[in-house]
Amino acid sequence: MTKESPTIGVLALQGAVREHAAALRSAGAAVEMVKWPGQLAGIDGLIIPGGESTTIGKLMVKYGFIQTIRDFAASGRPVYGSCAGLIAVAKKITEGSDPWLELMDIEARRNAFGRQQESFEAELDIPVLGATFTGIFIRAPWIEIAGPGVDVLAEFDGHKIMAREKNILVTAFHPELTNDTRIHEYFLSMINERTQ
Amino acid sequence: MAEEGTLRVKTGLAEMLKGGVIMDVTNAEQAKIAEDAGAVAVMALERVPSDIRAAGGVARMADPAIIENIMKTVSVPVMAKARIGHFAEARILESLGVDYIDESEVLTPADENNHINKWDYKVPFVCGARNLGEALRRIGEGAAMIRTKGEAGTGNVVEAVRHMRTITNEMRGLTVLGEEELMTAAKNMGAPFDLVRSVAKTGKLPVVNFAAGGIATPADAALMMMLGVDGVFVGSGIFKSTDPSSMAKSIVEATTHFNDAALVAKVSKGIGDPMRGMEISEIDEKDLLQTRGW
C-alpha cells in the first residue's frame, strides 16, 4: 500500500509537539496529534518529541502506550524519538530510571551534556543528509552504548547523538527547533523504504 | 564549535516544558513528590506564595543550600526565583547552575524602576506579565519565557484569566493594524517596536507563555490551557492542598488532556481539598503582588 502523503502521529502528551507537527507538514506529511493509544492504528509513523522524559514516560505508562507503541514498532512502521524521545525508546538508561519502550538497542545517558547552562547549538556533520545540520542540544542525552545492529549516523565531540536501528530513528538534538526539515524528510523516507 | 546560552537554546528549554506543569517546592522532599507526580520542572523558593503573603516582611531568593539540595534530588529542570531587579541574586542563582530564573513579583522587588538585563546571562529567565506591553518589555530585556502574573498565593484564578485574556486580545488587536499604526501601538503599550511588529505579523508571542498565579485545581489548569497558555505554574496550589501528591498528579493529567472534560472530571475526584482561596477584592491594594514590576 502506498499513499500520496503519509500520516505521521506526534505523541502529544507533553513537550515540543507543535514544532514537530509544523516540520512534518512542511516536509509534506499529514499530522495527527496522538493523545490516546487507539490513534496509533491510523498512522504510518510516530514521533516521540522532546520534552521532559520523566513526565512523558509516566503519562505513557498511565495511558497504556507502552505495549501499543511496542506493537506499532514491531509492525515495522517507523518511530523517531528526539531528545526525551531518544530516552523513551532506549533499551537501557544509564544510572537512572527503568527504561520505557525498549525499542532500540542503545543505552541512553540523560542530561549527558549537562544542565541548561551547558545547553548549546553546534554544526553537525551528518553523512546521511549529505551536509551539515544545526543541532540544538537542550539538557541533551547522548547514546552511551550502541548495540551491534545500530547505525550511528552522527557524533559530536566523540559522543553518539544520532542513530538508527531498522525502523527506529533517534536524535539527541532538536531539529524541530530549526526551520530545517531535512531530518523529518529523512524520517519520511523511512516510510517509503518500507512500502517499496 | 559549540555555542552555549544562545536565544534558541534559552527559549528551547521553555518549548520542551510546554503542555506541562511547573510546581513550587520549598525543599527536596516536596521536589521529589512533584517529580513523581509528573512535574516538568520545579520552582525552588523559601516559602510558597500564600505563606509569603501571610508572613509579610521581605521575601528573598531561597537559601542556596536548599536549592542545591533540590537540584541533587530531582532530574527535572530546577528553576528558582530572584527579586525583580536583583541582579546579584540572579548571578548567585546562575552560579548554582539552576536551569531557569524567575524574576518574580512574588518576592519583594529590589529595584522599583529597572528589571534585570537578562541578555547578560547564560541562564534563561521567565518573567510575569499582566498585559502585552509588559510581556514585550520583559522579552525586550531578554526574557526567554513569559507567564501571567495572576495573583499569587490566593488560590483564585481570576487574575490569571484576566491577564491571559488581556494578552490574547491585545495580540489579536495588533494583527489587524496597518504598518503605519504599529509605532503608535508600540508607544501606547510602551513596548519595543520590533517586538510589536513581530506580534502584529504572527499573532503570537515570540516565546512560550505559561499561566501562573492562583491555579488551585485540575479545572483551573484546564481552563488556562483552553485560554491558550502553553503550560501552567502551580504555586501554593499543590502543597497547600490536603493531598499534594494526588492534586499534583491530577493537575498534570488535566493539563495534558485539557480538552477532555470527562477525563478532567475523573481526575478531579477524591483528591482531597484544594487550598483555601481568597477573594481578590478583599485584599488591600498595597498587598497585591501583581502590581510589583511594570
Side-chain angles (χ1 to χ4, degrees):
Chain A
M1 187 189 72
T2 51
K3 281 204 279 184
E4 279 298 304
S5 105
T7 300
I8 307 297
V10 181
L11 189 67
L13 297 176
Q14 192 273 314
V17 174
R18 65 170 180 246
E19 287 72 19
H20 273 296
L24 285 167
R25 287 191 191 103
S26 30
V31 177
E32 175 149 342
M33 301 295 191
V34 176
K35 292 223 166 198
W36 297 106
Q39 292 172 272
L40 290 178
I43 58 175
D44 304 305
L46 177 70
I47 291 184
I48 304 173
E52 188 44 52
S53 60
T54 55
T55 306
I56 295 175
K58 280 172 204 300
L59 293 173
M60 282 196 303
V61 171
K62 183 166 263 169
Y63 300 134
F65 274 108
I66 302 291
Q67 195 54 47
T68 339
I69 294 178
R70 282 180 187 160
D71 293 345
F72 181 88
S75 76
R77 283 171 288 180
V79 177
Y80 165 35
S82 65
C83 196
L86 179 154
I87 297 163
V89 303
K91 274 234 164 81
K92 189 168 179 230
I93 300 171
T94 315
E95 294 163 20
S97 56
D98 292 334
W100 306 105
L101 295 165
E102 301 173 79
L103 301 182
M104 191 175 186
D105 189 13
I106 55 170
E107 180 178 326
R109 182 182 282 277
R110 297 186 61 201
N111 302 344
F113 287 99
R115 300 189 72 97
Q116 174 59 19
Q117 291 182 50
E118 288 79 55
S119 294
F120 62 97
E121 41 184 289
E123 285 305 305
L124 307 172
D125 189 23
I126 305 181
V128 289
L129 300 181
T132 61
F133 191 95
T134 306
I136 300 181
F137 293 78
I138 295 174
R139 290 170 48 93
W142 67 49
I143 299 167
E144 186 92 356
I145 302 165
V150 175
D151 277 334
V152 175
L153 302 180
E155 294 195 354
F156 179 75
D157 228 4
H159 303 293
K160 300 180 257 302
I161 44 95
M162 179 174 179
R164 176 175 173 183
E165 183 182 25
K166 298 191 188 98
N167 58 328
I168 314 294
L169 176 71
V170 293
T171 62
F173 52 96
H174 295 283
E176 77 281 7
L177 293 183
T178 67
N179 292 320
D180 190 337
T181 58
R182 283 177 295 152
I183 287 181
H184 291 83
E185 285 158 22
Y186 176 77
F187 179 60
L188 293 178
S189 78
M190 289 167 59
I191 294 176
N192 298 333
E193 279 173 30
R194 180 174 171 253
T195 51
Q196 268 158 18
Chain B
M1 252 331 274
E3 205 185 340
E4 296 178 343
T6 63
L7 184 60
R8 281 206 290 200
V9 160
K10 288 171 159 181
T11 57
L13 177 58
E15 303 287 352
M16 296 309 137
L17 300 175
K18 280 188 312 213
V21 183
I22 301 167
M23 303 183 192
D24 275 7
V25 298
T26 57
N27 56 48
E29 294 73 50
Q30 289 185 351
K32 191 82 189 92
I33 292 170
E35 182 178 57
D36 288 343
V40 289
V42 295
M43 172 76 71
L45 71 178
E46 204 136 51
R47 286 185 294 232
V48 295
S50 66
D51 286 340
I52 289 174
R53 196 176 274 290
V58 174
R60 311 179 178 94
M61 172 187 82
D63 179 340
I66 294 175
I67 296 171
E68 282 181 333
N69 204 10
I70 291 170
M71 289 169 59
K72 265 186 258 156
T73 306
V74 296
S75 66
V76 297
V78 175
M79 303 184 164
K81 287 184 192 288
R83 283 179 265 179
I84 291 173
H86 205 314
F87 51 85
E89 282 188 351
R91 283 292 178 212
I92 292 165
L93 294 174
E94 183 178 51
S95 80
L96 295 177
V98 302
D99 297 295
Y100 241 92
I101 295 175
D102 184 2
E103 186 182 18
S104 177
E105 71 283 0
V106 168
L107 307 184
T108 310
D111 188 329
E112 292 184 336
N113 294 316
N114 308 293
H115 285 69
I116 295 167
N117 172 21
K118 294 164 275 287
W119 293 115
D120 214 20
Y121 294 73
K122 235 165 83 179
V123 60
F125 282 75
V126 55
C127 289
R130 287 163 301 170
N131 52 52
L132 183 58
E134 193 170 10
L136 296 182
R137 287 191 290 277
R138 298 294 85 79
I139 296 168
E141 292 159 358
M145 179 180 184
I146 292 294
R147 56 173 175 76
T148 62
K149 281 181 164 174
E151 188 57 33
T154 60
N156 187 341
V157 78
V158 65
E159 295 301 303
V161 169
R162 188 193 318 282
H163 299 160
M164 186 57 194
R165 282 206 185 273
T166 303
I167 291 171
T168 309
N169 289 340
E170 288 175 335
M171 289 197 293
R172 200 182 298 138
L174 284 184
T175 62
V176 297
L177 294 185
E179 182 74 28
E180 72 283 5
E181 294 173 293
L182 293 177
M183 186 59 86
T184 307
K187 173 187 164 223
N188 290 343
M189 65 174 72
F193 176 69
D194 288 346
L195 290 173
V196 168
R197 204 152 170 248
S198 135
V199 173
K201 204 166 137 198
T202 63
K204 52 187 187 121
L205 289 177
V207 303
V208 163
N209 183 24
F210 269 47
I215 291 138
T217 65
D220 287 349
L223 171 69
M224 294 310 300
M225 291 298 287
M226 285 190 265
L227 287 172
V229 299
D230 294 310
V232 298
F233 284 89
V234 186
S236 322
I238 306 282
F239 289 100
K240 288 290 165 185
S241 72
T242 57
D243 183 355
S245 172
S246 299
M247 181 62 77
K249 284 181 189 151
S250 292
I251 291 179
V252 167
E253 285 200 68
T255 303
T256 295
H257 289 292
F258 63 91
N259 265 328
D260 186 338
L263 184 130
V264 179
K266 188 177 133 211
V267 302
S268 300
K269 290 176 199 165
I271 52 171
D273 294 328
M275 71 179 284
R276 202 182 129 64
M278 287 170 82
E279 166 56 43
I280 307 291
S281 61
E282 287 168 10
I283 304 171
D284 250 355
E285 211 156 311
K286 66 170 176 42
D287 293 329
L288 287 176
L289 301 178
Q290 60 176 280
T291 51
R292 295 167 163 184
W294 53 279

